[in-house]
Amino acid sequence: SSELTQDPAVSVALGQTVRITCQGDSLRAYFASWYQQKPEQAPVLVIYGKNNRPSGIPDRFSGSSSRNTASLIITGAQAEDEADYYCSSRDNSDNHLRVFGTGTKVTV
Amino acid sequence: QVQLQESGPGLVKPSETLSLTCTVPGGSISSYYWSWIRQPPGKGLEWIGYISFSESTSYNPSLKSRVTISLDTSKNQFSLKLNSVTAADTAVYYCARDQFIYETNGGGDAFDIWGQGTMVTVSS
């Protein structure tokens, strides 16, 4: 089955830009979706598809993709963006399966 | 906004069966795919499996031999059964709506609505 690899942790200064990456072979065929998870809370979808935000997600969140790497970009990070972030996609070997990335802790 | 609600025992004995139910208000259960996802304490997310509106299922290969997901449209619920549990199955269990969202600029798959999660501990 596919694996999606993320850096364990990144830090960003308040108001600066941070890029969170997700690498895996399945990303050559499928867009990643991205989830924000704050302590003791359920994950929340922040980006899906090529670069789409659900209603209520601030426009400082954006997504991009190139070859086997998907990126979540936070432009002008705010204190409330401090959280764990997970990517997800379909499995490359069986598109009925789903896989999550290893997760990235973002510190602002 | 659809809100999902997990329910079930918070404590399960080793070797027994973990059973959870997710209630989907509003009758939309017949229109989407529905997934179970879990998160062991201090660890990342793990997809367990899904059931479709037509009751087709797909399971994580690492859990497939122990997992059953079923659908009860009359109650707007879907359920998870995980048998022969061990301490390694201790986790927060989430239910989520799983759909492909179409967009003109490129849509994609997403778990767009989640339950609040329920903690299940496996211990004697």
PDB file of all heavy atoms in Angstrom, chain B residues 34-56:
ATOM      1  N   TRP B  34     -18.939   6.510   3.701  1.00  0.00           N
ATOM      2  CA  TRP B  34     -18.770   6.794   5.124  1.00  0.00           C
ATOM      3  C   TRP B  34     -17.597   5.989   5.668  1.00  0.00           C
ATOM      4  O   TRP B  34     -17.543   4.780   5.501  1.00  0.00           O
ATOM      5  CB  TRP B  34     -20.058   6.450   5.881  1.00  0.00           C
ATOM      6  CG  TRP B  34     -21.230   7.174   5.310  1.00  0.00           C
ATOM      7  CD1 TRP B  34     -22.099   6.723   4.363  1.00  0.00           C
ATOM      8  CD2 TRP B  34     -21.615   8.519   5.598  1.00  0.00           C
ATOM      9  NE1 TRP B  34     -23.024   7.698   4.052  1.00  0.00           N
ATOM     10  CE2 TRP B  34     -22.748   8.819   4.797  1.00  0.00           C
ATOM     11  CE3 TRP B  34     -21.129   9.514   6.460  1.00  0.00           C
ATOM     12  CZ2 TRP B  34     -23.399  10.049   4.836  1.00  0.00           C
ATOM     13  CZ3 TRP B  34     -21.775  10.744   6.498  1.00  0.00           C
ATOM     14  CH2 TRP B  34     -22.897  11.005   5.696  1.00  0.00           C
ATOM     15  N   SER B  35     -16.659   6.702   6.297  1.00  0.00           N
ATOM     16  CA  SER B  35     -15.422   6.076   6.756  1.00  0.00           C
ATOM     17  C   SER B  35     -15.293   6.059   8.273  1.00  0.00           C
ATOM     18  O   SER B  35     -15.880   6.892   8.965  1.00  0.00           O
ATOM     19  CB  SER B  35     -14.206   6.828   6.192  1.00  0.00           C
ATOM     20  OG  SER B  35     -13.864   6.387   4.906  1.00  0.00           O
ATOM     21  N   TRP B  36     -14.505   5.114   8.738  1.00  0.00           N
ATOM     22  CA  TRP B  36     -14.020   5.091  10.115  1.00  0.00           C
ATOM     23  C   TRP B  36     -12.521   5.344  10.089  1.00  0.00           C
ATOM     24  O   TRP B  36     -11.791   4.771   9.260  1.00  0.00           O
ATOM     25  CB  TRP B  36     -14.327   3.765  10.797  1.00  0.00           C
ATOM     26  CG  TRP B  36     -15.766   3.585  11.158  1.00  0.00           C
ATOM     27  CD1 TRP B  36     -16.719   2.890  10.463  1.00  0.00           C
ATOM     28  CD2 TRP B  36     -16.431   4.103  12.312  1.00  0.00           C
ATOM     29  NE1 TRP B  36     -17.922   2.956  11.114  1.00  0.00           N
ATOM     30  CE2 TRP B  36     -17.771   3.700  12.252  1.00  0.00           C
ATOM     31  CE3 TRP B  36     -16.018   4.880  13.408  1.00  0.00           C
ATOM     32  CZ2 TRP B  36     -18.715   4.030  13.230  1.00  0.00           C
ATOM     33  CZ3 TRP B  36     -16.943   5.206  14.374  1.00  0.00           C
ATOM     34  CH2 TRP B  36     -18.277   4.788  14.287  1.00  0.00           C
ATOM     35  N   ILE B  37     -12.066   6.161  11.009  1.00  0.00           N
ATOM     36  CA  ILE B  37     -10.666   6.562  11.130  1.00  0.00           C
ATOM     37  C   ILE B  37     -10.321   6.529  12.611  1.00  0.00           C
ATOM     38  O   ILE B  37     -11.170   6.870  13.445  1.00  0.00           O
ATOM     39  CB  ILE B  37     -10.487   7.983  10.553  1.00  0.00           C
ATOM     40  CG1 ILE B  37     -10.767   7.988   9.042  1.00  0.00           C
ATOM     41  CG2 ILE B  37      -9.080   8.533  10.845  1.00  0.00           C
ATOM     42  CD1 ILE B  37     -11.227   9.331   8.506  1.00  0.00           C
ATOM     43  N   ARG B  38      -9.115   6.132  12.946  1.00  0.00           N
ATOM     44  CA  ARG B  38      -8.745   6.100  14.362  1.00  0.00           C
ATOM     45  C   ARG B  38      -7.401   6.785  14.596  1.00  0.00           C
ATOM     46  O   ARG B  38      -6.617   6.985  13.664  1.00  0.00           O
ATOM     47  CB  ARG B  38      -8.721   4.676  14.897  1.00  0.00           C
ATOM     48  CG  ARG B  38      -7.580   3.811  14.383  1.00  0.00           C
ATOM     49  CD  ARG B  38      -7.668   2.412  14.994  1.00  0.00           C
ATOM     50  NE  ARG B  38      -6.546   1.576  14.587  1.00  0.00           N
ATOM     51  CZ  ARG B  38      -6.383   0.319  15.001  1.00  0.00           C
ATOM     52  NH1 ARG B  38      -7.264  -0.237  15.828  1.00  0.00           N
ATOM     53  NH2 ARG B  38      -5.324  -0.376  14.591  1.00  0.00           N
ATOM     54  N   GLN B  39      -7.154   7.126  15.855  1.00  0.00           N
ATOM     55  CA  GLN B  39      -5.927   7.820  16.230  1.00  0.00           C
ATOM     56  C   GLN B  39      -5.491   7.352  17.607  1.00  0.00           C
ATOM     57  O   GLN B  39      -6.072   7.771  18.620  1.00  0.00           O
ATOM     58  CB  GLN B  39      -6.152   9.329  16.216  1.00  0.00           C
ATOM     59  CG  GLN B  39      -4.916  10.155  16.482  1.00  0.00           C
ATOM     60  CD  GLN B  39      -5.163  11.625  16.253  1.00  0.00           C
ATOM     61  OE1 GLN B  39      -6.241  12.152  16.541  1.00  0.00           O
ATOM     62  NE2 GLN B  39      -4.161  12.324  15.719  1.00  0.00           N
ATOM     63  N   PRO B  40      -4.485   6.500  17.689  1.00  0.00           N
ATOM     64  CA  PRO B  40      -3.946   6.097  18.998  1.00  0.00           C
ATOM     65  C   PRO B  40      -3.410   7.312  19.739  1.00  0.00           C
ATOM     66  O   PRO B  40      -2.994   8.293  19.114  1.00  0.00           O
ATOM     67  CB  PRO B  40      -2.828   5.113  18.646  1.00  0.00           C
ATOM     68  CG  PRO B  40      -3.142   4.648  17.259  1.00  0.00           C
ATOM     69  CD  PRO B  40      -3.793   5.811  16.577  1.00  0.00           C
ATOM     70  N   PRO B  41      -3.386   7.253  21.047  1.00  0.00           N
ATOM     71  CA  PRO B  41      -2.915   8.405  21.837  1.00  0.00           C
ATOM     72  C   PRO B  41      -1.530   8.861  21.401  1.00  0.00           C
ATOM     73  O   PRO B  41      -0.593   8.058  21.319  1.00  0.00           O
ATOM     74  CB  PRO B  41      -2.903   7.855  23.264  1.00  0.00           C
ATOM     75  CG  PRO B  41      -3.929   6.779  23.256  1.00  0.00           C
ATOM     76  CD  PRO B  41      -3.860   6.162  21.899  1.00  0.00           C
ATOM     77  N   GLY B  42      -1.409  10.147  21.079  1.00  0.00           N
ATOM     78  CA  GLY B  42      -0.128  10.723  20.701  1.00  0.00           C
ATOM     79  C   GLY B  42       0.379  10.357  19.319  1.00  0.00           C
ATOM     80  O   GLY B  42       1.513  10.691  18.969  1.00  0.00           O
ATOM     81  N   LYS B  43      -0.460   9.684  18.533  1.00  0.00           N
ATOM     82  CA  LYS B  43      -0.023   9.226  17.208  1.00  0.00           C
ATOM     83  C   LYS B  43      -0.887   9.821  16.105  1.00  0.00           C
ATOM     84  O   LYS B  43      -1.766  10.647  16.343  1.00  0.00           O
ATOM     85  CB  LYS B  43      -0.046   7.697  17.158  1.00  0.00           C
ATOM     86  CG  LYS B  43       0.937   7.050  18.130  1.00  0.00           C
ATOM     87  CD  LYS B  43       1.021   5.565  17.906  1.00  0.00           C
ATOM     88  CE  LYS B  43       2.043   4.937  18.847  1.00  0.00           C
ATOM     89  NZ  LYS B  43       2.174   3.460  18.642  1.00  0.00           N
ATOM     90  N   GLY B  44      -0.610   9.407  14.875  1.00  0.00           N
ATOM     91  CA  GLY B  44      -1.297   9.959  13.719  1.00  0.00           C
ATOM     92  C   GLY B  44      -2.606   9.253  13.394  1.00  0.00           C
ATOM     93  O   GLY B  44      -3.042   8.337  14.082  1.00  0.00           O
ATOM     94  N   LEU B  45      -3.218   9.711  12.303  1.00  0.00           N
ATOM     95  CA  LEU B  45      -4.494   9.185  11.858  1.00  0.00           C
ATOM     96  C   LEU B  45      -4.302   7.909  11.040  1.00  0.00           C
ATOM     97  O   LEU B  45      -3.369   7.805  10.234  1.00  0.00           O
ATOM     98  CB  LEU B  45      -5.213  10.226  10.992  1.00  0.00           C
ATOM     99  CG  LEU B  45      -5.514  11.566  11.673  1.00  0.00           C
ATOM    100  CD1 LEU B  45      -6.015  12.575  10.650  1.00  0.00           C
ATOM    101  CD2 LEU B  45      -6.541  11.382  12.783  1.00  0.00           C
ATOM    102  N   GLU B  46      -5.210   6.963  11.232  1.00  0.00           N
ATOM    103  CA  GLU B  46      -5.197   5.714  10.474  1.00  0.00           C
ATOM    104  C   GLU B  46      -6.592   5.458   9.923  1.00  0.00           C
ATOM    105  O   GLU B  46      -7.560   5.369  10.678  1.00  0.00           O
ATOM    106  CB  GLU B  46      -4.756   4.541  11.354  1.00  0.00           C
ATOM    107  CG  GLU B  46      -4.729   3.209  10.610  1.00  0.00           C
ATOM    108  CD  GLU B  46      -4.327   2.039  11.480  1.00  0.00           C
ATOM    109  OE1 GLU B  46      -4.644   2.045  12.685  1.00  0.00           O
ATOM    110  OE2 GLU B  46      -3.691   1.108  10.944  1.00  0.00           O
ATOM    111  N   TRP B  47      -6.689   5.324   8.601  1.00  0.00           N
ATOM    112  CA  TRP B  47      -7.958   4.989   7.976  1.00  0.00           C
ATOM    113  C   TRP B  47      -8.265   3.525   8.213  1.00  0.00           C
ATOM    114  O   TRP B  47      -7.421   2.662   7.967  1.00  0.00           O
ATOM    115  CB  TRP B  47      -7.875   5.299   6.485  1.00  0.00           C
ATOM    116  CG  TRP B  47      -9.102   4.979   5.707  1.00  0.00           C
ATOM    117  CD1 TRP B  47     -10.279   5.676   5.691  1.00  0.00           C
ATOM    118  CD2 TRP B  47      -9.278   3.873   4.819  1.00  0.00           C
ATOM    119  NE1 TRP B  47     -11.170   5.062   4.832  1.00  0.00           N
ATOM    120  CE2 TRP B  47     -10.584   3.956   4.294  1.00  0.00           C
ATOM    121  CE3 TRP B  47      -8.460   2.807   4.408  1.00  0.00           C
ATOM    122  CZ2 TRP B  47     -11.091   3.035   3.385  1.00  0.00           C
ATOM    123  CZ3 TRP B  47      -8.953   1.890   3.499  1.00  0.00           C
ATOM    124  CH2 TRP B  47     -10.258   2.009   2.990  1.00  0.00           C
ATOM    125  N   ILE B  48      -9.491   3.231   8.667  1.00  0.00           N
ATOM    126  CA  ILE B  48      -9.895   1.852   8.955  1.00  0.00           C
ATOM    127  C   ILE B  48     -10.646   1.250   7.773  1.00  0.00           C
ATOM    128  O   ILE B  48     -10.397   0.101   7.375  1.00  0.00           O
ATOM    129  CB  ILE B  48     -10.782   1.807  10.209  1.00  0.00           C
ATOM    130  CG1 ILE B  48     -10.017   2.317  11.428  1.00  0.00           C
ATOM    131  CG2 ILE B  48     -11.314   0.398  10.437  1.00  0.00           C
ATOM    132  CD1 ILE B  48     -10.885   2.529  12.661  1.00  0.00           C
ATOM    133  N   GLY B  49     -11.570   2.010   7.202  1.00  0.00           N
ATOM    134  CA  GLY B  49     -12.348   1.493   6.087  1.00  0.00           C
ATOM    135  C   GLY B  49     -13.555   2.360   5.811  1.00  0.00           C
ATOM    136  O   GLY B  49     -13.837   3.310   6.555  1.00  0.00           O
ATOM    137  N   TYR B  50     -14.266   2.035   4.710  1.00  0.00           N
ATOM    138  CA  TYR B  50     -15.483   2.769   4.393  1.00  0.00           C
ATOM    139  C   TYR B  50     -16.589   1.833   3.949  1.00  0.00           C
ATOM    140  O   TYR B  50     -16.348   0.674   3.595  1.00  0.00           O
ATOM    141  CB  TYR B  50     -15.241   3.852   3.335  1.00  0.00           C
ATOM    142  CG  TYR B  50     -15.008   3.391   1.894  1.00  0.00           C
ATOM    143  CD1 TYR B  50     -15.916   2.611   1.195  1.00  0.00           C
ATOM    144  CD2 TYR B  50     -13.866   3.795   1.202  1.00  0.00           C
ATOM    145  CE1 TYR B  50     -15.696   2.218  -0.118  1.00  0.00           C
ATOM    146  CE2 TYR B  50     -13.637   3.418  -0.108  1.00  0.00           C
ATOM    147  CZ  TYR B  50     -14.552   2.623  -0.762  1.00  0.00           C
ATOM    148  OH  TYR B  50     -14.327   2.249  -2.081  1.00  0.00           O
ATOM    149  N   ILE B  51     -17.802   2.384   3.970  1.00  0.00           N
ATOM    150  CA  ILE B  51     -18.950   1.724   3.371  1.00  0.00           C
ATOM    151  C   ILE B  51     -19.635   2.753   2.482  1.00  0.00           C
ATOM    152  O   ILE B  51     -19.732   3.930   2.837  1.00  0.00           O
ATOM    153  CB  ILE B  51     -19.918   1.139   4.421  1.00  0.00           C
ATOM    154  CG1 ILE B  51     -20.989   0.284   3.732  1.00  0.00           C
ATOM    155  CG2 ILE B  51     -20.537   2.224   5.314  1.00  0.00           C
ATOM    156  CD1 ILE B  51     -21.734  -0.646   4.681  1.00  0.00           C
ATOM    157  N   SER B  52     -20.079   2.328   1.326  1.00  0.00           N
ATOM    158  CA  SER B  52     -20.757   3.230   0.400  1.00  0.00           C
ATOM    159  C   SER B  52     -22.262   3.182   0.609  1.00  0.00           C
ATOM    160  O   SER B  52     -22.785   2.311   1.316  1.00  0.00           O
ATOM    161  CB  SER B  52     -20.432   2.852  -1.040  1.00  0.00           C
ATOM    162  OG  SER B  52     -21.163   1.692  -1.410  1.00  0.00           O
ATOM    163  N   PHE B  53     -22.936   4.097  -0.056  1.00  0.00           N
ATOM    164  CA  PHE B  53     -24.401   4.132   0.009  1.00  0.00           C
ATOM    165  C   PHE B  53     -25.000   2.855  -0.558  1.00  0.00           C
ATOM    166  O   PHE B  53     -26.119   2.476  -0.216  1.00  0.00           O
ATOM    167  CB  PHE B  53     -24.921   5.345  -0.759  1.00  0.00           C
ATOM    168  CG  PHE B  53     -24.385   5.460  -2.154  1.00  0.00           C
ATOM    169  CD1 PHE B  53     -25.000   4.774  -3.202  1.00  0.00           C
ATOM    170  CD2 PHE B  53     -23.281   6.226  -2.436  1.00  0.00           C
ATOM    171  CE1 PHE B  53     -24.512   4.874  -4.485  1.00  0.00           C
ATOM    172  CE2 PHE B  53     -22.772   6.327  -3.717  1.00  0.00           C
ATOM    173  CZ  PHE B  53     -23.391   5.650  -4.751  1.00  0.00           C
ATOM    174  N   SER B  54     -24.257   2.156  -1.431  1.00  0.00           N
ATOM    175  CA  SER B  54     -24.733   0.882  -1.991  1.00  0.00           C
ATOM    176  C   SER B  54     -24.219  -0.310  -1.199  1.00  0.00           C
ATOM    177  O   SER B  54     -24.373  -1.452  -1.624  1.00  0.00           O
ATOM    178  CB  SER B  54     -24.289   0.756  -3.448  1.00  0.00           C
ATOM    179  OG  SER B  54     -22.885   0.762  -3.531  1.00  0.00           O
ATOM    180  N   GLU B  55     -23.590  -0.017  -0.046  1.00  0.00           N
ATOM    181  CA  GLU B  55     -23.090  -1.016   0.893  1.00  0.00           C
ATOM    182  C   GLU B  55     -21.869  -1.782   0.396  1.00  0.00           C
ATOM    183  O   GLU B  55     -21.558  -2.846   0.926  1.00  0.00           O
ATOM    184  CB  GLU B  55     -24.197  -1.976   1.356  1.00  0.00           C
ATOM    185  CG  GLU B  55     -25.348  -1.256   2.028  1.00  0.00           C
ATOM    186  CD  GLU B  55     -26.299  -2.167   2.778  1.00  0.00           C
ATOM    187  OE1 GLU B  55     -25.850  -2.879   3.688  1.00  0.00           O
ATOM    188  OE2 GLU B  55     -27.498  -2.161   2.436  1.00  0.00           O
ATOM    189  N   SER B  56     -21.156  -1.232  -0.579  1.00  0.00           N
ATOM    190  CA  SER B  56     -19.847  -1.797  -0.878  1.00  0.00           C
ATOM    191  C   SER B  56     -18.868  -1.310   0.177  1.00  0.00           C
ATOM    192  O   SER B  56     -19.023  -0.206   0.715  1.00  0.00           O
ATOM    193  CB  SER B  56     -19.376  -1.389  -2.273  1.00  0.00           C
ATOM    194  OG  SER B  56     -19.214   0.007  -2.350  1.00  0.00           O
TER     195      SER B  56
END
